[in-house]
Amino acid sequence: MISRAAVAAVSSALIFGGAVIAASPASAVGSSACDYRPAYSPVTKATTTVNLRNGPSTSYYSKGLLTKGVRFDKLCSRNNHLWFYGKVLDGPNRGKWGWVNGHYLRER
């Protein structure tokens, strides 16, 4: 016979496991995550195809792709200018706000 404690433990594990499986992906992070806001930041262009993410790391989901040459207006940055938050100025994701890794952006 299975004890009540064992049943409770298995039930808790199943409930907890189900909650973890049902958990949503990383939540969106806007400009509040910035740790640097310059007085002026020039518009940049993507140097290659790069993800526009909903947060400042690859653990956040992609909101779309910026192809080479697409302009990106930087508002602020995070992690010593590794990630930039801003607005896409052209291409299929025009008008979207998100995060781009700074390695793939250059001043025009």
Side-chain angles (χ1 to χ4, degrees), residues 43-86:
V43 171
T44 57
K45 285 187 177 184
T47 60
T48 187
T49 300
V50 62
N51 285 297
L52 176 70
R53 297 195 177 273
N54 76 325
S57 84
T58 56
S59 65
Y60 290 90
Y61 73 83
S62 175
K63 297 171 79 173
L65 295 173
L66 307 185
T67 55
K68 183 177 180 177
V70 167
R71 294 177 303 137
F72 183 75
D73 190 11
K74 301 181 298 186
L75 173 68
C76 57
S77 65
R78 173 124 182 125
N79 299 335
N80 200 26
H81 309 296
L82 178 60
W83 289 91
F84 290 92
Y85 180 76

Side-chain angles (χ1 to χ4, degrees), residues 15 19 23 31 36 41 44 77 88 94 96 99 101:
I15 291 169
S31 63
Y36 180 73
S41 183
T44 57
S77 65
V88 181
R94 180 181 181 182
K96 285 187 181 179
W99 293 87
N101 187 299

